Amino acid sequence: VVASFPPRCQGRRGRDAWGGVRVLDAMQHELHGRVVQLLQAAAAERDLSQHLRVLQQASDLLLHADTPTELVGSCLEYFSNLQTDAQTSLRRYSAYFLGRAIFFKPQLALRCLPIVVLLLGDGDGVVQELAAKAAITLHGRAVFLLALEPEPRAFQRHAEQLQKLRSAMLKLLEGGSAEHPALFQLAARWAKAVVLSQTPSPLVLAVRVPADLRGACCLQDFPEKVTQHLDMNSLRQQAEELFGTLCGLLERPPQGAWRHSLLRTLLQCVGAIARQRPGLFELALACWRRLLQAHGPADGGAVEGAGGASELRRLLWAEARLLLASNLASERHADVVELLAATGFSGSLEDLLAQSKYQQICSQLDKESADRSTEPRAKKARRSDQRRVWTSGGEGEGILADEDAFDGDALFAGEAEAVCRRFEDYFGLPSQREPAGHVPAPALLASRTTSQAELARIALTSLNSLSLKRSLLRGRAHEKIVAFSEAPVRGPSVGGNAGAGPGDEANGEAKDLALFLTAEPSLPDESGTLGLADAARDPRGLLARQPRSTSFLVEDFSEAAGNDAAALGDDFLLPVDAASARLPADNAGRDALQIQLFDEVLASHHRMEKSPFSTALSPAQVACFDQVSRQVALHLATGSKNLVNAGLQRAMCKAFMLDAFEELKMALGGALNGRPLAAGDPVVGNELAAKAALGKLVELFYAKFTTDVSRWQETSSQGIKVAAVAAAKTPLREILEGIRGGERRVMFTYAELFEMFVAEFERLQLPKRELRAFLNDIPVVPLQAFKMLEAQCLVAGTRKMALLTVLSLIDFKPSCRWQCLRLLFWLAYSGGDDSSIRFDTIRLIINKIYSAGPHPPMRWQLNHLSDEEAAPLLGGAADGGLSWEISDEDFVPLQRLKGRCVEDVATIMLRSMAPKAAEFAFPIRVPIRVEQLRGELFKGVVCSPKDRVWLYLALCIKRPVLLHGLVETFTKCDQEMKEHLVNSIEEALKYIPASEPELLVLVQKAAPETERLIIKMLHILVQTSQGKEALSKDYGDAVTRLYGITQNPRLLVPVFDLLSRQSLLDFLPAVMELDVEEVTTAFQQFVRSKAPPLSVSELLTELHHMNSPTENVVPVKASMQALNVIFGMREHFDPKVYGIVIQALVEEAGPLPTLFMRTVIQVVKELPRLCDFIVMQILPRLVRQEVWGNDNMWRGFMLVLQHTFASQSAGAARVLAILPMSQLEDVLVQHPDWKTHLLDFVARQPAGAVAPHVRQLLQ
């Protein structure tokens, strides 16, 4: 692999339209270079483990989602060549990499196809396993790409490779792979993938991942327009033939009999295909019938071992049960029941359906429970998981058993959730985990119930532990009861004992199954009630029989149950000894009992969700039950009786909070046990459920708030007063924070409850947006919340969400406004090296909070105006705009907060840049709370004085009148700070329109002390107004006034084109003596102006008049510099201007300007079009004026002749012919070659047209 590294694109962002493309290209080349370095390092590495480690690093870079497929393709040959390496581990890695490359870069599927075929023939078993896994991933993607291949030769080549792959995998299947069962299992999975991808699906899939990324999973996935070389009918026929091959292998094992694991694999493969493709269902059913007929109870030929026949029947029963639970096979359920009868399992269709669905629910929930108890999975596959591919255990358990990526029956939407999430995360696809895109397992299972009886059975099933199978399935009164329990079972038995001892727990499920299929119904007795044996199975039957009875007939029940009552477990109601029911005497025991009772109240809601009783209630009744349960729990947790017992109330509130957080976490999509919701996890839960869980937490805080406040009012005799008076005199902060006299009281406070909330919220890592909604809903936001927000703002990852939370509190929580404002100013002026904290906060203040609004300015903001001028602008303030107040301690009017508060704090911090002894025209009189805020800022870690200007500059953009305060501060600062302000003011001025009146006022009111700032401002305005509306002529008048005071010509440069005609002529000499850069800027303004006070020809004439033989207004060097600058701008005006200027200067009376001939020489050198004009019009005039009288002019005259003689020989000869004799003689002596041209010219002239001395000299 050869990589080239172009230079990294440089330049500021947005410099040209292709900047971003060049940067992206450079990044890709840099990535290519890194991969090449790693591959070279791997090739040079002698240590095998280090070699593999470096290869893994290169693989991680190549298979990143942002890595282009072309880059991966350029390195594919390197990894494919590893399959010929002598080292087994490298060949294994080659197969492993190909599998991942096909999965993540599906466009490379056809390129990987021949390599996978070669790897399948490797001598190492693990290499073959990994190649087989790659083949499974490859097939759907390869046939999809093949359907788009237009080139006949390429299509034929790829089709042949696919056929080779098919032959290799069929060889593994037909050979049985007895020595390598894992390889056989992978071959069976390949066969299933092939059949499913080449047959039509009966489901209308709500596709979340496009087929070009996941490959074809059914015929509907193929593009509408496939290549003409691909026959879709032949694809379907191949799949059906392959399915027939699988069925044939079941009936005719290649080695006479199948091992247990291989037979199970083959049956599962055929069953999965039959469930998802009803068109092939009949073939599978017929195959299974023939298996049962060929291998009866006495013959175990299909399976090795003594129990072969029974094992075959058990495996067929497991697959038949999945068929019964499938909606896609509902039309053939009767055939499946008939097949089961042949296996020895009998029962009604309804019973078989119920148990099949029940077992699927159990397995599903057991799987979820196991997943929750394991280590939380990362958002993307971890490297350690990716590398667990080197060994394989017995029976193929070492191979990573991938889930079927797109099993249409396993999930109703047709796509597996785990694989879809992996695709979405990797390819950056938008999350579509809504019911339209994916139906989760519980919803799918609910969709498979067809009657209220089934719903009742499933509801009853959920009452006890599913993982231990201790649930009850109960139908209507005339139906039998089935106990899934390790406890002894009373009632009719099948072929032996009615119960089972403790040692038979392993066979509990088999006994339950036999009981379910063969037991006779338990009929009611003459009284219409169930017998005691049935009650032993389900004591709830007795409760249902006597719902209003206060006695449980404990004696009768205990006598009937006998010693077996203990076997019923703790889940059943048993009599309680009166002695054990006494309340504990010690406080700790009482507290423990109260907490236990409180936990029972909290659990009532969850019990109702699982109870069959809830199905008999209306939604309104269920909601009422939830509300009452919640109110009881809140009363227990926050009641006034518990205030004296801080530990008990703390424990109850924590239990309530944990319960609500559990609901919130589940609603937001987090795991149930231990897994925090990661920051990048999508919210896939029910939004309404999340709001309800958050509402429970809000109710807890409201209950705590009202309890604490009402108790204080009662103890302080405020409760008997009028509500408004009592509220005004209630010190909320002291009550809620638990602080009195500066000391914290020993009690469980509202603030401590919030700290508990924050700790749990951060532990679970819930989305910060939920915190924002919570803070807006609770009655009072404690001070701890602002400390938490402050900590979040200091971290870049959480800063944005925290600032938005502060903004939300300002808008919707009036009592929090002052604390929010205090926090924002602390962040905007915080010290430290991380300037992003300050700038992010300033952006929030300017863009979301500050409003220039209609509020009038204060007097200190109009320091440039006299009292008479400022009076109309102050809005009629009684005190002349000298002060303002905040009436309430916590509440700040929103309009005043967004305007006056922000402006005045920013002004105070701006003035702090000046020395403490500086005196301003008007003091800033702010409320005492604002002054206290200023003191708090300076007591903390405040930013350097230079960083205190940024917020004020941002305010100036929205309210330019504040610029006058900046100018006043500039005059009070030391030299270093002035330099900083001059360099910083551009950040505000470049966003202020040049037409803003306050900018003009700033120049009109300028003083000598602000001269540097004004010059900088004028330059910025000139730059920002280019191509837009030009500056007003009033700027020229204002600068003229200031120049009259300071006599600094640099003031004139930015407004050179805005000066009046007379002012420009008066100030031109001063401008000419400036540096070349400033002269250039001034003349650029002049040349680009649409309405200049002078024309360019007039300006050039004035520049020449600055120097004459008798007078030098400016040094000749300055004039030469100015003429060179204007000559360099000749592309901006018509060059004929020089001809006009030269002719006008020649025709003027008196001596020629000193630099006249210099300009003529520049013209003939740089403007050839004017050479003819110079020779024919200007040079003869100079001869008539006796130019040889001035040595400098004569030398310039001769230089012009030299430059024009070659191109204008006739005209130059004409000029020579009118020279006097002595001058002509000198010229011919210096340039004898001109004599020939002069002779030619004279020969063409009449006799009297040429002076006699010319002919005389030529003889």
Side-chain angles (χ1 to χ4, degrees), residues 91-102:
R91 300 202 307 275
R92 293 177 180 179
Y93 192 85
S94 176
Y96 167 61
F97 175 82
L98 287 177
R100 293 185 66 206
I102 295 168

Side-chain angles (χ1 to χ4, degrees), residues 7 127 202 259 300 384 441 748 759 882 899 1057 1062 1258:
V127 174
R259 294 175 59 184
S384 59
F748 180 65
L882 293 177
D1057 60 318
Q1062 188 58 46
L1258 293 175

Side-chain angles (χ1 to χ4, degrees), residues 521-757:
S522 298
L523 300 177
D525 56 18
E526 295 180 357
S527 61
T529 61
L530 291 173
L532 290 178
D534 294 330
R537 291 200 199 109
D538 188 4
R540 288 166 292 188
L542 292 175
L543 293 177
R545 186 172 55 187
Q546 295 182 354
R548 291 192 176 93
S549 176
T550 56
S551 64
F552 185 61
L553 300 180
V554 173
E555 296 80 2
D556 296 339
F557 178 76
S558 300
E559 292 176 3
N563 296 328
D564 291 335
L568 296 175
D570 297 332
D571 292 335
F572 301 129
L573 299 176
L574 295 176
V576 180
D577 185 11
S580 63
R582 295 175 182 174
L583 294 177
D586 59 307
N587 293 332
R590 290 182 179 181
D591 291 348
L593 181 59
Q594 291 191 59
I595 294 173
Q596 186 177 358
L597 292 174
F598 183 75
D599 291 338
E600 290 298 320
V601 173
L602 290 178
S604 64
H605 170 70
H606 303 293
R607 290 198 188 97
M608 178 57 74
E609 288 181 345
K610 301 177 180 179
S611 172
F613 182 65
S614 62
T615 59
L617 301 178
S618 66
Q621 290 173 322
V622 175
C624 181
F625 171 81
D626 294 342
Q627 182 180 3
V628 171
S629 299
R630 191 160 59 250
Q631 289 176 350
V632 170
L634 290 172
H635 177 73
L636 290 175
T638 62
S640 57
K641 293 183 179 180
N642 290 337
L643 287 179
V644 295
N645 193 339
L648 178 61
Q649 190 179 53
R650 184 182 294 108
M652 287 187 176
C653 289
K654 185 172 185 180
F656 186 93
M657 186 177 292
L658 292 177
D659 182 74
F661 265 118
E662 193 69 25
E663 294 183 15
L664 178 61
K665 185 174 62 173
M666 293 297 294
L668 293 176
L672 182 60
N673 292 325
R675 179 190 183 276
L677 189 69
D681 282 355
V683 177
V684 298
N686 189 340
E687 185 176 353
L688 294 177
K691 288 183 178 180
L694 206 61
K696 289 182 63 176
L697 292 169
V698 172
E699 288 181 1
L700 175 63
F701 276 82
Y702 265 99
K704 179 63 177 171
F705 171 81
T706 54
T707 302
D708 290 355
V709 172
S710 63
R711 179 176 175 81
W712 183 90
Q713 290 178 345
E714 290 174 1
T715 56
S716 59
S717 301
Q718 296 291 332
I720 60 176
K721 297 181 180 179
V722 180
V725 176
K729 294 187 177 182
T730 301
L732 285 181
R733 289 295 175 189
E734 291 185 8
I735 298 171
L736 302 180
E737 301 289 341
I739 300 175
R740 178 177 294 176
E743 297 181 358
R744 183 177 292 274
R745 292 178 291 171
V746 182
M747 59 181 298
F748 180 65
T749 62
Y750 181 92
E752 187 178 351
L753 179 65
F754 184 81
E755 292 177 4
M756 186 188 301
F757 168 85

Side-chain angles (χ1 to χ4, degrees), residues 893-1061:
L894 190 59
Q895 182 178 354
R896 179 153 286 187
L897 178 144
K898 291 188 173 184
R900 179 65 55 227
C901 290
V902 175
E903 289 178 0
D904 289 352
V905 175
T907 304
I908 290 173
M909 298 305 293
L910 175 72
R911 289 190 176 186
S912 68
M913 299 173 64
K916 293 183 178 180
E919 295 184 2
F920 291 84
F922 299 97
I924 303 177
R925 297 178 183 175
V926 295
I928 187 172
R929 295 176 61 199
V930 177
E931 187 62 31
Q932 290 173 350
L933 173 59
R934 183 198 68 80
E936 292 174 3
L937 292 176
F938 282 100
K939 286 180 182 179
V941 183
V942 70
C943 60
S944 64
K946 289 185 177 181
D947 288 327
R948 300 172 195 169
V949 70
W950 303 120
L951 177 58
Y952 195 89
L953 286 175
L955 296 178
C956 292
I957 298 173
K958 286 198 167 184
R959 200 175 194 197
V961 71
L962 300 178
L963 285 170
H964 300 290
L966 180 67
V967 173
E968 183 185 18
T969 304
F970 173 83
T971 62
K972 307 298 180 181
C973 292
D974 55 28
Q975 190 61 35
E976 181 183 0
M977 202 61 66
K978 285 182 178 180
E979 187 68 26
H980 175 67
L981 290 176
V982 169
N983 295 331
S984 303
I985 196 173
E986 180 179 3
E987 298 301 323
L989 291 179
K990 64 184 180 181
Y991 297 108
I992 302 176
S995 58
E996 172 58 46
E998 291 299 334
L999 297 176
L1000 178 58
V1001 174
L1002 203 64
V1003 181
Q1004 291 172 339
K1005 297 289 183 178
E1009 297 83 4
T1010 63
E1011 182 185 57
R1012 288 189 60 213
L1013 198 63
I1014 296 301
I1015 293 174
K1016 179 70 172 181
M1017 188 192 77
L1018 291 173
H1019 278 286
I1020 296 171
L1021 291 178
V1022 168
Q1023 293 175 2
T1024 57
S1025 63
Q1026 288 181 5
K1028 303 177 183 177
E1029 184 179 357
L1031 293 178
S1032 168
K1033 292 288 185 181
D1034 295 334
Y1035 279 96
D1037 299 336
V1039 171
T1040 300
R1041 180 196 65 81
L1042 184 59
Y1043 177 73
I1045 302 173
T1046 64
Q1047 294 298 312
N1048 185 355
R1050 289 182 173 83
L1051 280 167
L1052 306 171
V1053 172
V1055 295
F1056 193 67
D1057 60 318
L1058 302 177
L1059 301 174
S1060 64
R1061 179 184 179 88

Side-chain angles (χ1 to χ4, degrees), residues 173 200 242 301 328-329 332 424 483 503 553 618 926 956 1080 1258:
L173 275 175
L242 180 57
L328 301 181
R332 309 302 300 272
E424 288 172 356
L553 300 180
S618 66
V926 295
C956 292
T1080 302
L1258 293 175

